[in-house]
Amino acid sequence: MVAQRPKSTSSGKSSKGGEKAKGPDPSLSHTDVLPDVPEDIFPMVLTSATQELFECRADEDVTQNNPYKLLKKDDILHDMKARAAVSDFHPVKQTVLNYPGEELLLVFDRDFKYGQSFYLVLTEEAKQRILQPPVSTDEEEPEEESEQYVCRTPEPQQPWVSLGSELEIEEESVKDTRERLKYLVSRVRKKFGAPVNFTDRNALESKEGYIECTSYQDRNFRLIQMERNSATQAVLNLKSSATQTQRTFPRNMYTQYKPRELTEEEKENYMSSENLKNFASSAFSRFEIAIQQNKIMDVFFDDWQALSEGDIAFGGKADTYLKEYQSFTDLQFSKDKSISCIKWHPTISGVIAVSVTEKMSFEERINGSTKLLLNPPLILFWSFSDPINPQLRLECPDDVLSFDFCPSDPNIIIGGCMNGQIVLWDVTAHAQRLHGKRSGERRTTSAYPGSFMAFEEDKENEIPVLLYCAVSSIENGHKAPVTDVQWLPENFEISITGVPVENQNQICVQVVTCAPDCCVMFWDIRAPRPAAHSQAERKQKMEEKQLENPRGIPNTFKYLDLSWKPLIKVMLPKTDASGEYSPLKFSLRDNIHCSRPRSGKDKSVKTTDRPEGKVEYALLRVPSEKQLKPLEDISTMFCVGTEDGELVYTSWKLGKDDDSGRLLSGKPSRCFIVHDSLVNTVKRSPFFKDIILTVGGWNFAVWKESVMNGPIILSPCSQKRCMVGCWSLSNPGMFFIGKEDGNIEVWDLLEKTHEPSHIQNISTASITCMKPWIISSKQHFLAVSDDFGTLHILQIPWTLRNPSSSESSVNKYFEKEVTRLMFFDKRKETMAKQKTATEAEEQKKKTELLVPEKLSEKTEEESLAEYESYLTLEKDILKEMGVSLQEEDKPSNEV
Amino acid sequence: MAEVEETLKRIQSQKGVQGIIIINAEGIPIKSTLDNSSTVQYAGLLHQLVMKTRSTVRDLDPQNDLTFLRVRSKKNEIMIAPDKDYFLIVIQNPSD
């Protein structure tokens, strides 16, 4: 009954429109409602009873995933028979009857695709179709339906919201804007089948042969990318962060705190607690042991080292031997002559200068004066590098008894002569030569370049001779041989009145000299302030002198030559008697340039103050007194050793004499006669500013400047005369004495004070001068000169140069001596007092005897009274001692 | 209190003893024969030293404990006797 038309499954999309699938019989009204139901499927409703019967309960036996259920045809027929019109299968009764197969497919239509919850597949083919390839049929069928019938879809759908995408889709989609035109092109009929003729033609023949489109860059169309498709990807938020340590800089921080302290009460509490008591007693035992241990023996004391020190102090004689390092003598110049003064060059190491004098008495000098004039006396410069030939010779007007290098400029040398003149040399020109020439081959040009005749002359010419460049004026200088010359240090200078004032130039400009003509003179090497008339004179002199300069004398001190006057003349009047002292040697307190070699540090300090370059002494002027600032801390006191063996302590300041209005020197404060003969050495210790060694006659003495009573140490008289003395530069408390028999005595005050610790014989002649010097820490030298004209350089051994005694111990020794001296003086005083007292008493007694004797009664009374007093005294004493015989019941005081 | 004073006097009378200080467990001086500033300085510094020493000894051997500490220097010797609650410090100059 039901007209079935098998639907072709492979029908395309562009199927005929309007063709409707005529479904099953029109009695099925739901086909109008659901036009997309295919013919061979019958949607139907199954009641729950039917469902249970056929075991196709919704969502239990049949599910979404398993919607197919095969039903037996017989069962359906049976059901139809059973329930007739009520049966669900009633509408498809006929179909079922006609169904060829045995089983019918019932599909659970969960989604109500065809309007009902189940549908029955009516044909065998459809059944197969559904079961076997269920996927494709399922897909295609809905598509087909949706394409034909646009509006309705079985599923409930949301109304479509346009978001603007259809515009783009429409833009992108290709649509026919107009109908496609169809052209039919055919040839002319007559040419069909006609023979064809083909020819060739070259394309390049004619321009129209081909059309070419060459490419060119059309600048109108520069492609600019206005739009760019780029993909974006969503990622997690990235965050970059950095960290850097804070720059810290050092900063001062302070905390202020106070220590915790207990109050007095708390302290009391603690102190009285039992706890502390126990602790103290227990701790005490430990401490006792520890403290006593320390007392018994010092565990950390190094015996070994201490042992060695003790040994050295009592070292053998061999160790203290002064080894002869070198000896200088010149056959020509220093033979049979005596060396009067030695001076080490202050800056150049290994250079030493000696002044050579004739060994003649005054008579002989007068008699042989012509000979003396021909052979002028010299100062020789010796260098360690050349033991045979002296380096330099300085010519002197007369025998030089004392000379000195200028501390600030070692090229200036000042000397004092036997005729009372002061001489100045300037060796700047030969300074290079003195600076250590190793070999003897190289010699600089001589004074006389032309003559190389005889060997002797040659040799003589090779040692340069330098003439003095200035001498003092004869009338104004000393009247006796100048015995001591010293430069004043550069930190102060003396004004006209003798007041020490500040030295603005910071170089040494003043010299002090003394001579037995009873005066000490201060000289200034600068030009004196010009007076009007003398300038003309000097100019004249200058011109004259410039003309005659044959021997190459340097012009440094031309202005002084023969007109040099002393700045100050200090007379030394005697304290108690009239007359004056005749000084031989002196020593200033603040003369820092004693024989100690300057260390490098001092040098550097000096050069910063000193003006650079060579000083033009001619340009320096003695400043007026008002400009200069007086220095307070420079002491104006100095010690002088005299011809008579006295030590005079006086000041050089000139005071105004009320009577005459002239400047006169004051009387010396102290004067001591200690030595038996003339004093030949007055030297300050390099370690102690106020300790002075004086040597003269047959003994020597050590003085302390502040102690005015006498020498703190006085040596016993020796058998030979002491000729010279000098302090050791490295060992405080040690000094050397040179003797008449050529011995050198080494005195160590801390070892032995009654005799020298070491005696050594150097030469057979008498020692004339000694000077110690330190070249390096290993080389300590002692330059000794003798009466034969030989200069010996001795090396001081380690035992002597090692400071075995420290300064403090030597100081202590000196202090002890001072106290001893004081004690003796006091004793003397007390003794004197006592003596006077006893004398007075004796005098008294003598006078008393003359007085008539006392009455005997009185004397008896007196004796009784005395006896009584004696008894009471006895009682008291016994009582005190507790041995009282009379009163035993009184308690005795036990002390 | 008198006993403690007496003990201190006996220690003080030994040769070379320069000073005695008693400090409590916190390092605060209780009694001293030196001046205040020195006392405070000694107390502060030595207290820390004893603590450190004691902890060292105990670390090496927990059964062990510090009984006496002697610090010998160039100029003098410092002796410290520690206790649970107090320290006794004596400064001695052995070479005098």
Side-chain angles (χ1 to χ4, degrees):
Chain A
M1 245 156 37
V2 176
Q4 282 188 357
R5 247 193 307 152
K7 194 139 187 214
S8 64
T9 54
S10 58
S11 61
K13 293 259 187 214
S14 58
S15 58
K16 328 68 185 169
E19 240 189 351
K20 270 198 188 161
K22 280 270 172 3
D25 58 70
S27 63
L28 301 169
S29 57
H30 58 264
T31 54
D32 298 322
V33 182
L34 306 161
D36 49 338
V37 177
E39 316 174 319
D40 44 5
I41 291 172
F42 181 64
M44 52 194 276
V45 181
L46 295 175
T47 59
S48 50
T50 323
Q51 281 180 23
E52 278 181 27
L53 198 64
F54 285 100
E55 293 167 0
C56 55
R57 282 179 287 257
D59 289 330
E60 283 177 19
D61 299 323
V62 286
T63 59
Q64 180 75 13
N65 293 336
N66 189 19
Y68 307 112
K69 183 92 179 135
L70 289 162
L71 302 173
K72 286 221 166 45
K73 181 180 162 183
D74 295 333
D75 290 338
I76 299 171
L77 286 172
H78 181 72
D79 178 59
M80 276 195 289
K81 278 177 191 156
R83 293 195 285 173
V86 188
S87 166
D88 294 324
F89 292 102
H90 179 71
V92 289
K93 183 178 172 182
Q94 198 58 37
T95 321
V96 171
L97 281 168
N98 297 337
Y99 196 75
E102 275 295 317
E103 290 183 340
L104 277 90
L105 181 65
L106 179 73
V107 183
F108 170 57
D109 187 5
R110 200 173 191 279
D111 299 324
F112 288 84
K113 232 188 316 197
Y114 300 121
Q116 303 295 334
S117 56
F118 288 91
Y119 63 84
L120 191 69
V121 175
L122 298 170
T123 59
E124 196 68 25
E125 297 94 349
K127 182 178 103 174
Q128 294 300 322
R129 208 174 51 229
I130 287 167
L131 281 178
Q132 261 88 56
V135 179
S136 54
T137 43
D138 278 350
E139 272 183 6
E140 266 182 53
E141 279 179 359
E143 268 177 29
E144 252 179 310
E145 257 95 55
S146 65
E147 183 250 331
Q148 281 174 7
Y149 308 100
V150 177
C151 27
R152 296 278 304 273
T153 53
E155 292 154 291
Q157 275 188 334
Q158 304 275 339
W160 182 61
V161 177
S162 162
L163 294 168
S165 55
E166 71 259 29
L167 289 164
E168 287 170 359
I169 293 169
E170 276 190 33
E171 272 175 32
E172 291 293 315
S173 62
V174 177
K175 292 196 190 90
D176 295 340
T177 48
R178 56 172 170 78
E179 213 177 74
R180 295 193 184 177
L181 299 171
K182 288 183 186 171
Y183 289 95
L184 183 63
V185 177
S186 63
R187 287 181 68 200
V188 176
R189 187 80 203 165
K190 67 172 177 185
K191 284 202 181 163
F192 277 19
V196 184
N197 247 354
F198 286 111
T199 53
D200 286 328
R201 190 186 69 165
N202 200 349
L204 296 168
E205 276 176 13
S206 59
K207 270 195 194 158
E208 290 82 36
Y210 69 98
I211 294 173
E212 187 180 45
C213 276
T214 49
S215 66
Y216 66 97
Q217 192 172 23
D218 190 354
R219 283 177 204 276
N220 296 329
F221 303 97
R222 286 248 189 106
L223 281 178
I224 300 167
Q225 197 171 26
M226 299 295 285
E227 247 179 28
R228 191 172 67 165
N229 288 333
S230 68
T232 52
Q233 186 179 11
V235 291
L236 295 169
N237 267 349
L238 287 178
K239 194 167 67 167
S240 62
S241 66
T243 177
Q244 187 172 8
T245 53
Q246 277 193 345
R247 183 174 153 259
T248 54
F249 49 92
R251 204 187 314 173
N252 281 335
M253 288 283 290
Y254 312 88
T255 42
Q256 192 168 6
Y257 62 94
K258 208 175 65 154
R260 278 187 300 173
E261 279 174 3
L262 299 171
T263 61
E264 285 300 321
E265 308 167 349
E266 285 173 347
K267 284 190 190 168
E268 290 284 327
N269 284 345
Y270 270 118
M271 288 297 281
S272 32
S273 66
E274 270 291 319
N275 219 350
L276 188 62
K277 242 191 288 178
N278 295 337
F279 164 68
S281 39
S282 71
F284 174 65
S285 47
R286 288 176 262 174
F287 275 106
E288 241 184 338
I289 300 169
I291 292 174
Q292 280 166 5
Q293 250 178 14
N294 280 338
K295 277 293 117 198
I296 294 166
M297 194 183 89
D298 188 4
V299 236
F300 296 97
F301 181 65
D302 194 349
D303 294 322
W304 183 251
Q305 244 178 0
L307 197 67
S308 65
E309 273 169 15
D311 250 354
I312 283 165
F314 301 105
K317 287 276 172 164
D319 289 330
T320 59
Y321 187 73
L322 292 157
K323 261 192 292 208
E324 176 130 348
Y325 180 78
Q326 226 167 24
S327 130
F328 297 103
T329 182
D330 192 283
L331 297 168
Q332 202 175 14
F333 303 115
S334 52
K335 194 160 180 216
D336 290 335
K337 295 199 189 155
S338 165
I339 295 177
S340 57
C341 187
I342 306 173
K343 277 272 152 63
W344 292 84
H345 197 284
T347 46
I348 307 172
S349 76
V351 173
I352 191 168
V354 290
S355 60
V356 181
T357 58
E358 297 284 340
K359 285 189 292 190
M360 288 187 208
S361 70
F362 195 59
E363 288 261 343
E364 288 165 10
R365 277 174 197 272
I366 296 175
N367 293 341
S369 57
T370 44
K371 184 162 167 254
L372 286 174
L373 280 173
L374 290 173
N375 296 335
L378 299 163
I379 292 181
L380 297 171
F381 275 73
W382 293 97
S383 166
F384 279 8
S385 55
D386 190 358
I388 305 169
N389 299 306
Q391 299 300 107
L392 194 60
R393 289 182 295 163
L394 300 179
E395 217 177 86
C396 335
D398 206 347
D399 279 348
V400 168
L401 293 177
S402 169
F403 68 97
D404 200 2
F405 288 91
C406 174
S408 55
D409 185 3
N411 292 326
I412 309 292
I413 302 157
I414 194 154
C417 298
M418 200 164 261
N419 57 4
Q421 277 187 316
I422 312 290
V423 192
L424 270 173
W425 287 275
D426 185 358
V427 287
T428 337
H430 300 273
Q432 198 54 41
R433 195 194 153 83
L434 288 174
H435 274 280
K437 283 257 178 82
R438 276 277 146 206
S439 60
E441 278 99 62
R442 281 184 291 148
R443 298 275 175 161
T444 54
T445 53
S446 59
Y448 307 102
S451 51
F452 290 102
M453 291 293 154
F455 178 71
E456 270 187 1
E457 259 187 348
D458 209 17
K459 205 170 147 213
E460 190 179 312
N461 292 340
E462 283 174 344
I463 306 169
V465 183
L466 200 63
L467 197 60
Y468 48 88
C469 48
V471 279
S472 66
S473 116
I474 298 171
E475 308 87 40
N476 298 325
H478 282 288
K479 310 268 187 309
V482 179
T483 48
D484 203 359
V485 173
Q486 279 181 28
W487 287 88
L488 277 181
E490 65 236 353
N491 49 342
F492 72 99
E493 59 180 57
I494 308 287
S495 70
I496 307 258
T497 51
V499 176
V501 289
E502 193 188 358
N503 186 342
Q504 289 170 340
N505 312 82
Q506 293 296 319
I507 50 166
C508 294
V509 288
Q510 291 188 335
V511 190
V512 192
T513 62
C514 78
D517 63 349
C518 315
C519 58
V520 174
M521 292 192 187
F522 286 77
W523 306 75
D524 199 311
I525 62 172
R526 295 172 293 192
R529 261 176 314 137
H533 60 277
S534 56
Q535 196 164 21
E537 276 182 17
R538 240 187 304 111
K539 259 196 199 159
Q540 217 181 12
K541 270 191 199 159
M542 292 273 281
E543 285 166 13
E544 278 178 21
K545 283 279 151 52
Q546 265 165 8
L547 293 171
E548 23 174 292
N549 204 352
R551 299 187 68 187
I553 305 165
N555 294 346
T556 334
F557 296 105
K558 266 283 171 284
Y559 54 94
L560 290 174
D561 202 12
L562 286 177
S563 62
W564 200 8
K565 275 189 241 189
L567 193 66
I568 306 167
K569 244 191 215 182
V570 179
M571 311 298 276
L572 298 170
K574 284 210 178 152
T575 42
D576 30 3
S578 70
E580 284 140 3
Y581 295 109
S582 42
L584 284 182
K585 294 273 182 212
F586 63 92
S587 158
L588 300 168
R589 187 185 167 93
D590 290 301
N591 195 348
I592 53 172
H593 298 289
C594 47
S595 45
R596 224 178 185 180
R598 237 177 287 131
S599 65
K601 194 171 146 216
D602 290 343
K603 264 189 210 161
S604 62
V605 167
K606 272 191 61 183
T607 45
T608 50
D609 292 327
R610 232 198 307 163
E612 291 299 316
K614 181 150 166 51
V615 184
E616 278 296 317
Y617 290 102
L619 299 175
L620 296 172
R621 292 277 176 268
V622 176
S624 80
E625 197 166 328
K626 297 162 202 98
Q627 294 170 358
L628 297 169
K629 185 182 71 174
L631 291 170
E632 303 297 326
D633 54 348
I634 307 286
S635 157
T636 60
M637 308 292 284
F638 67 112
C639 300
V640 184
T642 65
E643 248 180 343
D644 303 319
E646 299 150 332
L647 183 71
V648 180
Y649 188 64
T650 180
S651 163
W652 69 64
K653 249 194 202 159
L654 298 174
K656 261 207 149 79
D657 187 20
D658 298 317
D659 297 335
S660 51
R662 279 185 307 153
L663 295 165
L664 277 184
S665 46
K667 298 231 170 190
S669 47
R670 282 291 184 153
C671 161
F672 307 96
I673 299 180
V674 164
H675 302 289
D676 312 311
S677 178
L678 35 96
V679 175
N680 47 47
T681 308
V682 178
K683 282 265 157 62
R684 289 194 187 243
S685 165
F687 293 90
F688 307 102
K689 276 272 163 294
D690 53 356
I691 301 290
I692 305 159
L693 169 73
T694 57
V695 179
W698 282 266
N699 59 359
F700 64 86
V702 177
W703 309 75
K704 197 169 163 100
E705 205 172 322
S706 47
V707 174
M708 288 294 113
N709 306 345
I712 52 177
I713 300 168
L714 187 61
S715 84
C717 287
S718 59
Q719 287 178 336
K720 296 282 176 182
R721 287 170 70 130
C722 302
M723 300 304 289
V724 70
C726 66
W727 290 93
S728 159
L729 293 179
S730 56
N731 206 338
M734 183 184 280
F735 51 88
F736 305 93
I737 304 285
K739 287 295 199 21
E740 202 183 17
D741 55 358
N743 279 352
I744 290 187
E745 290 179 359
V746 180
W747 288 77
D748 189 354
L749 285 175
L750 291 187
E751 202 185 313
K752 284 186 257 192
T753 54
H754 60 284
E755 62 174 21
S757 52
H758 179 63
I759 306 176
Q760 188 173 335
N761 185 279
I762 303 295
S763 93
T764 48
S766 135
I767 310 274
T768 51
C769 195
M770 276 206 303
K771 272 271 162 14
W773 197 250
I774 298 175
I775 304 267
S776 68
S777 65
K778 293 270 165 72
Q779 287 184 314
H780 291 217
F781 291 123
L782 184 68
V784 181
S785 66
D786 62 8
D787 235 1
F788 281 149
T790 317
L791 176 69
H792 305 265
I793 309 286
L794 303 168
Q795 198 165 17
I796 303 177
W798 186 84
T799 46
L800 292 177
R801 70 169 186 257
N802 184 46
S804 58
S805 41
S806 62
E807 273 184 50
S808 55
S809 42
V810 177
N811 220 1
K812 272 192 206 155
Y813 173 72
F814 286 136
E815 276 164 26
K816 255 197 325 190
E817 292 295 322
V818 170
T819 48
R820 175 193 65 89
L821 200 68
M822 298 296 196
F823 170 72
F824 269 117
D825 282 341
K826 245 196 200 161
R827 269 295 299 271
K828 257 197 223 164
E829 280 176 30
T830 48
M831 294 283 279
K833 264 193 212 154
Q834 262 191 355
K835 206 169 167 195
T836 50
T838 46
E839 274 178 15
E841 265 189 44
E842 275 182 26
Q843 280 284 333
K844 235 182 165 182
K845 275 192 192 146
K846 277 188 195 155
T847 51
E848 272 181 6
L849 285 170
L850 298 173
V851 170
E853 291 177 272
K854 289 179 193 154
L855 299 165
S856 51
E857 297 158 2
K858 268 197 177 171
T859 51
E860 264 192 48
E861 274 180 37
E862 279 179 14
S863 52
L864 256 177
E866 274 184 37
Y867 185 60
E868 287 292 316
S869 63
Y870 165 69
L871 282 176
T872 46
L873 181 66
E874 191 188 21
K875 246 192 262 174
D876 286 332
I877 288 173
L878 289 175
K879 215 197 275 182
E880 242 184 279
M881 279 171 41
V883 202
S884 177
L885 301 165
Q886 291 167 4
E887 290 140 329
E888 278 175 274
D889 43 312
K890 273 196 188 158
S892 54
N893 286 344
E894 281 183 356
V895 179
Chain B
M1 174 151 157
E3 293 92 349
V4 178
E5 295 276 352
E6 206 198 289
T7 317
L8 291 183
K9 243 191 235 141
R10 278 167 71 191
I11 300 178
Q12 183 81 35
S13 63
Q14 302 266 358
K15 250 198 296 178
V17 172
Q18 287 173 339
I20 310 173
I21 308 168
I22 304 180
I23 60 175
N24 71 349
E26 290 180 329
I28 310 173
I30 298 173
K31 180 106 177 82
S32 165
T33 62
L34 302 169
D35 58 288
N36 196 29
S37 53
S38 310
T39 304
V40 158
Q41 197 174 22
Y42 268 108
L45 295 167
L46 291 173
H47 177 249
Q48 293 176 35
L49 182 66
V50 170
M51 284 298 140
K52 189 72 172 172
T53 316
R54 186 183 260 160
S55 70
T56 308
V57 169
R58 295 290 290 264
D59 272 349
L60 291 170
D61 180 8
Q63 310 278 331
N64 210 350
D65 195 6
L66 181 68
T67 51
F68 202 67
L69 180 62
R70 283 166 84 164
V71 181
R72 180 64 188 252
S73 73
K74 261 201 259 190
K75 295 189 183 170
N76 49 22
E77 176 158 346
I78 306 170
M79 292 170 270
I80 309 146
D83 187 59
K84 194 160 60 68
D85 304 317
Y86 306 98
F87 300 123
L88 180 63
I89 302 166
V90 173
I91 303 130
Q92 185 196 21
N93 192 347
S95 52
D96 282 344

